[in-house]
Amino acid sequence: MSGAKRQSKKQRPDGLSRIQEMNRAKILEAALGQFSRFGYSGTTIEKIAGEAGMSKSNLLYYFASKPDIYEAVLEHILDVWLAPLRMLDPDRDPATELSAYIRQKLQMSAELPEASRLFANEVMQGAPRIRRVLEEDLKGLVAEKSEVIRHWIAAGKIRETDPVHLIFLIWAMTQHYADFQTQIELLTGQNLKDPDFRKGAEEAVIAMVLSGVGLTPGPA
Amino acid sequence: MSGAKRQSKKQRPDGLSRIQEMNRAKILEAALGQFSRFGYSGTTIEKIAGEAGMSKSNLLYYFASKPDIYEAVLEHILDVWLAPLRMLDPDRDPATELSAYIRQKLQMSAELPEASRLFANEVMQGAPRIRRVLEEDLKGLVAEKSEVIRHWIAAGKIRETDPVHLIFLIWAMTQHYADFQTQIELLTGQNLKDPDFRKGAEEAVIAMVLSGVGLTPGPA
DNA sequence: GTCTATACCCGGATAGAC
DNA sequence: GTCTATCCGGGTATAGAC
């Protein structure tokens, strides 16, 4: 047995075994659900573990502490959360670009409402853990995309509008359907997962934004 | 001393002494600040008491428990929160009415952002304590005001629009400035308390809503 | 009517067996 | 890698003195 094969733990690229990866993923998903619903203080490690199908202690084997989990979740969703805005293209026409952006944001509100609510929660508490990201990355991104809008204005393609307010208002309208989902359901019995309602929301937001910048939305 | 004057505790209309009233008010104000910032679970009775300038035990003399305080705060702000919508008047012209409504909502976001955030917080958690109010009062109110908007449409005064989405979008845009105040401050360095920024927000929202329903906002 | 002291419970985190 | 047992801190709420 001398010189025998060593206990081969296949060293994967990230240094994690398959089950480790899977467990981490399950934890992050469960944590997103809990944090977004109950806020940071309102969620317990035990609940997250329960949702993820494991024991509290086992969870604490993967993440050393509660803040660690929270930050991992936030980091995990931030990229996908900001992705749509990055795609605003100055070289295409504003009606197409703005419509596409709104549709993407509404799609995210439909498919990942928890991410929206987690983000809202964090910001409402003063954004203690994502201050940096907002001040640096997001601020830069918004400045960049404001330039795109100013470019459209200068080219006479859309009406004179404050770019920053325009961006804020698009965020407000699209994220509202995720953040206030409960209220919307109580008042209408529907949410973005209903195709009809989703279409109604898309039309309402797009109509408002396009006419708001002086474009007349076509019937599609 | 026989038959002397009895220790006269003036029985006030609500059965509360002046200091009791004042203390209750101070507690409610402090509680609003804490709950809106840290959510229900994130705030402690001790913090509320500190903000209200009294001891934890003394606070618990006025409110028996944490949920009691929370419900009192919610109830206290709900009326004022829904007041602006009640004023939408079908007999005046839509441009005036919608502009006034938006301005009132933005005023509330400027002066009582905590109320907005508390409300958002509660709804995002599934509205466990105000389900009733939403299902009954608010639902009725929205139905009533949807009729107002349909009335304007039928009279040819505004473009065909889904009334419920219109209401949601006005809420979304106006409340966003309170709920995401932190983010807005980090990105622009301003908030609704700055007169210039407030004016910019009013113009942006009013322009968007009015043109969205087919009205051209005048330059004021 | 207000404060001090304290009981009690719950959630986060660790130690150590398996 | 996963579990059980347990510690510890903090937060709610109460008992009782003043």
Side-chain angles (χ1 to χ4, degrees):
Chain A
M1 284 234 186
S2 56
K5 59 186 179 218
R6 283 185 62 235
Q7 193 83 2
S8 75
K9 290 199 181 182
K10 291 206 190 111
Q11 208 60 19
R12 310 182 99 241
D14 51 4
L16 298 177
S17 74
R18 271 179 207 81
I19 55 163
Q20 281 178 324
E21 264 183 61
M22 246 199 41
N23 278 341
R24 279 185 63 98
K26 279 202 293 186
I27 292 170
L28 288 178
E29 190 189 339
L32 173 58
Q34 294 292 310
F35 283 131
S36 67
R37 204 180 213 121
F38 306 109
Y40 179 79
S41 319
T43 90
T44 68
I45 292 183
E46 199 160 18
K47 270 300 208 76
I48 298 174
E51 289 286 317
M54 68 187 70
S55 70
K56 182 167 70 163
S57 323
N58 193 13
L59 187 153
L60 284 166
Y61 168 75
Y62 288 95
F63 292 90
S65 72
K66 189 178 174 181
D68 278 4
I69 309 171
Y70 186 75
E71 297 207 14
V73 175
L74 264 183
E75 191 176 343
H76 188 249
I77 64 164
L78 254 177
D79 281 343
V80 57
W81 191 243
L82 296 182
L85 183 57
R86 298 190 205 277
M87 297 175 62
L88 258 202
D89 183 349
D91 296 329
R92 300 174 56 119
D93 81 286
T96 310
E97 284 302 285
L98 290 174
S99 300
Y101 179 50
I102 290 165
R103 263 188 267 269
Q104 281 182 64
K105 287 288 291 176
L106 281 174
Q107 185 181 349
M108 298 214 35
S109 285
E111 292 172 5
L112 272 182
E114 302 86 4
S116 185
R117 287 191 285 264
L118 180 70
F119 192 67
N121 229 307
E122 169 70 12
V123 171
M124 284 203 299
Q125 318 217 345
R129 336 216 172 203
I130 58 170
R131 253 194 143 66
R132 279 266 163 76
V133 184
L134 297 186
E135 283 171 332
E136 294 164 13
D137 306 55
L138 186 56
K139 187 171 182 175
L141 184 58
V142 166
E144 179 191 331
K145 296 310 179 180
S146 293
E147 269 320 305
V148 173
I149 292 164
R150 276 195 207 92
H151 166 74
W152 285 331
I153 295 173
K157 291 185 177 168
I158 65 172
R159 179 195 295 166
E160 177 87 34
T161 316
D162 185 309
V164 176
H165 282 293
L166 178 59
I167 293 172
F168 288 164
L169 293 183
I170 294 176
W171 288 348
M173 291 189 274
T174 53
Q175 293 173 14
H176 182 83
Y177 285 94
D179 301 341
F180 288 77
Q181 185 177 13
T182 300
Q183 172 171 276
I184 289 170
E185 283 171 355
L186 288 176
L187 293 186
T188 71
Q190 298 185 295
N191 63 45
L192 285 187
K193 301 223 158 117
D194 301 299
D196 287 359
F197 189 80
R198 164 108 166 248
K199 198 157 167 253
E202 278 180 359
E203 281 171 10
V205 178
I206 289 175
M208 193 148 286
V209 170
L210 291 194
S211 62
V213 299
L215 298 167
T216 47
Chain B
M1 285 239 191
S2 56
K5 60 187 179 221
R6 284 185 64 235
Q7 193 83 3
S8 74
K9 289 199 179 185
K10 292 205 190 109
Q11 208 60 19
R12 310 183 98 240
D14 50 4
L16 297 176
S17 73
R18 272 180 205 81
I19 56 164
Q20 280 178 326
E21 265 184 60
M22 247 199 42
N23 278 341
R24 280 185 64 98
K26 280 202 291 186
I27 292 170
L28 288 179
E29 191 189 337
L32 173 58
Q34 295 293 309
F35 283 130
S36 67
R37 203 177 214 125
F38 307 110
Y40 180 79
S41 318
T43 90
T44 68
I45 293 183
E46 198 161 18
K47 271 300 210 78
I48 298 175
E51 289 286 317
M54 70 186 69
S55 72
K56 182 168 68 164
S57 320
N58 194 13
L59 187 153
L60 284 166
Y61 167 73
Y62 289 96
F63 292 90
S65 71
K66 189 178 174 182
D68 278 4
I69 309 171
Y70 185 76
E71 297 206 15
V73 175
L74 264 184
E75 191 177 343
H76 188 250
I77 64 163
L78 254 177
D79 281 343
V80 56
W81 191 242
L82 297 182
L85 182 56
R86 297 191 206 277
M87 296 175 62
L88 258 203
D89 182 350
D91 296 329
R92 301 175 55 120
D93 81 284
T96 311
E97 284 302 285
L98 290 174
S99 301
Y101 179 50
I102 289 164
R103 263 188 268 267
Q104 281 181 65
K105 287 289 291 177
L106 282 174
Q107 185 181 350
M108 299 214 34
S109 285
E111 292 171 5
L112 272 181
E114 302 86 5
S116 185
R117 288 193 284 266
L118 180 70
F119 192 67
N121 230 307
E122 168 70 12
V123 172
M124 285 203 300
Q125 318 217 343
R129 335 215 173 204
I130 58 170
R131 250 190 147 67
R132 279 267 165 74
V133 184
L134 297 186
E135 283 171 332
E136 294 164 14
D137 305 57
L138 186 56
K139 187 170 183 176
L141 185 58
V142 166
E144 179 191 331
K145 296 309 180 182
S146 295
E147 269 319 306
V148 173
I149 293 164
R150 276 194 207 92
H151 166 74
W152 285 331
I153 295 173
K157 290 186 178 170
I158 65 172
R159 179 196 295 165
E160 178 88 35
T161 317
D162 186 308
V164 176
H165 282 293
L166 178 59
I167 293 173
F168 287 165
L169 294 184
I170 294 176
W171 287 349
M173 290 189 275
T174 54
Q175 294 174 15
H176 182 82
Y177 285 94
D179 300 342
F180 287 77
Q181 185 177 13
T182 299
Q183 172 171 276
I184 289 170
E185 283 171 355
L186 289 176
L187 294 186
T188 70
Q190 297 184 295
N191 63 46
L192 285 187
K193 301 222 159 119
D194 302 299
D196 287 0
F197 188 80
R198 166 110 167 247
K199 198 158 168 252
E202 278 180 0
E203 281 171 11
V205 177
I206 289 174
M208 193 148 285
V209 170
L210 291 195
S211 61
V213 298
L215 298 168
T216 46

